[in-house]
Amino acid sequence: MEVVYSEGKYKSVDKEVVGLYGDITYLDKSIDTYGISYKDDWTVRRLLNGVHLRLNNRIEDIFNYIGLDIKYLNSRIDELSHTIFKYVMLAYLILHNERFIIFDHFDAGLSYKEQKKFIGIINKLREDGFYILVISNNFVFLSKSCKRLVIAYDDDEVFDGTVEELLKERRLIKNTSIIS
């Protein structure tokens, strides 16, 4: 799943977005993660609003916040494109006030334009007090969206520092075959 959340805290994730180059299994020993439950035949409105008859007023605001067209509220989840589905999952977490959001390879399959849009959303979320952890194997994307980077290899941390430190001093990475 591309969007998960936690009620715990990972290391010193605070005001800056942290990127993890590796796999989410690396986090299993340090935080509990939770996904979003839904059924494919639900509409987006049903997922976000539950069984309430009146639409939650915040939903429209959240859709505007992440740049998602309100028309998707009446679409079934299994009819959404992969990209729209990712943004709907993000809207769900914002609506339910989950403050620690983990983007697990969210950038996979996004066009360059959508990646730029997503980086803007990450920055807005950070400014609004959300704790953000971005997991990806796309170093270019991580370097544009994160200030701090953790590199995990075989569930071991081999680097933790800023992107600038990594670019200046590759020798800071503990000696593993990941470099080759």
Side-chain angles (χ1 to χ4, degrees):
M1 180 173 278
E2 288 88 359
V3 184
V4 295
Y5 66 97
S6 180
E7 294 169 0
K9 197 156 185 203
Y10 172 70
K11 289 190 169 190
S12 60
V13 174
D14 50 17
K15 298 280 188 223
E16 61 185 23
V17 177
V18 174
L20 172 63
Y21 183 92
D23 194 3
I24 197 166
T25 58
Y26 166 75
L27 299 175
D28 289 345
K29 54 189 164 197
S30 55
I31 60 173
D32 294 324
T33 58
Y34 307 95
I36 302 167
S37 298
Y38 61 90
K39 293 184 180 177
D40 285 339
D41 62 345
W42 286 359
T43 63
V44 171
R45 178 186 305 265
R46 164 70 175 89
L47 169 70
L48 298 178
N49 206 40
V51 293
H52 305 290
L53 296 175
R54 292 183 47 165
L55 185 65
N56 185 328
N57 293 337
R58 288 187 58 218
I59 292 175
E60 189 171 347
D61 295 337
I62 291 169
F63 271 43
N64 288 331
Y65 181 84
I66 60 178
L68 195 58
D69 194 325
I70 201 75
K71 73 178 182 182
Y72 291 113
L73 280 176
N74 297 319
S75 300
R76 285 175 34 140
I77 292 175
D78 59 1
E79 296 171 343
L80 299 174
S81 71
H82 195 68
T83 301
I84 299 300
F85 174 73
K86 290 178 183 189
Y87 287 122
V88 167
M89 295 293 108
L90 174 57
Y92 178 92
L93 293 182
I94 295 171
L95 181 66
H96 288 85
N97 208 27
E98 299 299 345
R99 305 305 285 178
F100 182 14
I101 300 176
I102 303 166
F103 294 104
D104 181 17
H105 295 86
F106 191 96
D107 60 307
L110 293 181
S111 66
Y112 179 74
K113 181 179 176 182
E114 284 295 325
Q115 285 183 11
K116 284 178 65 174
K117 174 184 171 183
F118 179 52
I119 291 169
I121 291 170
I122 288 173
N123 289 327
K124 277 199 285 189
L125 289 168
R126 179 187 49 78
E127 290 168 6
D128 291 340
F130 287 83
Y131 303 105
I132 307 293
L133 179 65
V134 179
I135 303 170
S136 180
N137 288 330
N138 181 342
F139 180 76
V140 173
F141 176 77
L142 285 174
S143 67
K144 291 180 180 180
S145 60
C146 306
K147 299 290 184 218
R148 221 173 98 230
L149 184 66
V150 174
I151 298 177
Y153 180 73
D154 283 341
D155 286 340
D156 288 324
E157 186 177 293
V158 296
F159 176 80
D160 184 356
T162 66
V163 174
E164 292 80 22
E165 289 172 341
L166 179 64
L167 293 174
K168 287 180 187 174
E169 296 286 335
R170 276 188 20 177
R171 64 183 175 79
L172 292 175
I173 300 177
K174 294 177 186 169
N175 191 15
T176 65
S177 62
I178 195 170
I179 295 174
S180 58

